Every structure is written in structure tokens, then in C-alpha cells.
Amino acid sequence: MEFILNNKRYSIINHELYINYLMVDSYFRDNHSKYDYDISFDFITPILEKDKVEFDDILEGTAVLEELIEKEEINFIANGVSIDEHVNGNFRITYQDLEFVNVKVGEAIPLLIALNSLLTYRPIVTLAQIKEELDYFLEKFRSYENDDGM
């Protein structure tokens, strides 16, 4: 999948996008978030119900995600989001007064998915709470990166 932000073309392999949705879904569904939100993605549920996940299951879920994107029923980039690339290759992601700096390549898509999920959440979440939640999200995400198992 390709998308353009700030006149710059980005791309992500579709099944990687699906896996990013799976990670964000798990973050909210399994109560890893700082606050309690009822955020989940219905197209993820079938894979969660399996005892054993095969790569074909991921490809199946990816096909569903592709269809949702094609029908414009799902979008992981909120209107008004800006992405700028730092000299070091990391990103600065901004939305109105929110700013996230030194976001690594592997963190950017999950952060965008989480941001869009919180922006569209009802009842409305304040920008201050979104900032707090997404800072916590990045902290949790980075803590997995630094685990001995990785």
C-alpha cells in the first residue's frame, strides 16, 4: 500500500499494515493502555479466535483489510496529520497541537493507527489525554523493543 503525506510517498506491505493493526488492537483490547477505551477492530477478531495462527490467516485478514481500505471504511491516517523526516531517519508526527518526535520507522504506523483510533473515539477524548496516551503507547512499544527476548 502506498500513501502520500506532505508531498512525500510512503509505502508499507499490506500484511505488515495488518500486523500493525493487530498490535494496536491488542494494546487496547488487552488493557495495556493508560486509560480504559473500548477500541478494537472487528476485522481482527477472527484471527484472535484461532488456537494456532498460520501465515495464511494473516494473509486472509490482510485481504479483508485491503477491502475495507478500498471501500474507504477504514483509514489509519487522520486528516490533518503531518509527518516530517528527521536527518537521523526518524519521524516527527504532528496533529494540531500534538507532536511526537524521534518516532522510529517501526513505530510510525502503529502510532498513526492509535492516533486515528483515539481521534474518532466516542465519547470524545481531549488532545491532552490523547498526547498522554500516545506517549504511554510509545513508551510501552519501546519497552518491548528493549526486552531481552528481542
Side-chain angles (χ1 to χ4, degrees):
M1 161 184 229
E2 290 189 342
F3 56 97
I4 297 174
L5 269 174
N6 306 26
N7 296 319
K8 184 159 183 173
R9 184 180 302 268
Y10 297 92
S11 66
I12 182 169
I13 298 170
N14 290 355
H15 70 269
E16 289 176 351
L17 181 59
Y18 179 78
I19 291 168
N20 281 285
Y21 266 101
L22 191 58
M23 288 188 301
V24 174
D25 186 273
S26 174
Y27 174 78
F28 288 113
R29 188 185 298 252
D30 297 340
N31 298 316
H32 296 290
S33 56
K34 186 168 189 155
Y35 298 103
D36 188 26
Y37 305 100
D38 185 21
I39 294 176
S40 61
F41 307 104
D42 292 340
F43 66 93
I44 295 293
T45 304
I47 202 167
L48 298 176
E49 294 171 345
K50 296 191 177 271
D51 292 330
K52 182 180 176 186
V53 176
E54 308 268 336
F55 188 69
D56 284 343
D57 298 321
I58 292 171
L59 294 178
E60 217 172 90
T62 300
V64 172
L65 176 59
E66 289 169 347
E67 187 177 312
L68 292 171
I69 290 170
E70 212 172 278
K71 292 179 179 177
E72 296 181 4
E73 292 179 15
I74 196 165
N75 183 8
F76 66 95
I77 303 172
N79 288 330
V81 167
S82 176
I83 299 178
D84 300 302
E85 199 168 340
H86 290 294
V87 175
N88 66 4
N90 291 343
F91 298 100
R92 180 181 71 166
I93 297 175
T94 55
Y95 176 83
Q96 294 183 14
D97 294 340
L98 302 179
E99 181 178 70
F100 305 94
V101 295
N102 276 323
V103 177
K104 296 176 184 171
V105 171
E107 300 167 343
I109 298 297
L111 181 71
L112 290 170
I113 293 168
L115 172 61
N116 194 52
S117 298
L118 291 167
L119 289 171
T120 58
Y121 188 75
R122 298 294 179 256
I124 294 173
V125 181
T126 66
L127 287 179
Q129 188 172 331
I130 290 173
K131 172 70 171 149
E132 188 179 357
E133 184 65 56
L134 293 181
D135 283 341
Y136 186 75
F137 175 83
L138 285 173
E139 181 183 309
K140 294 289 268 182
F141 196 94
R142 290 171 180 161
S143 72
Y144 294 121
E145 207 174 72
N146 296 327
D147 276 352
D148 292 334
M150 294 195 94

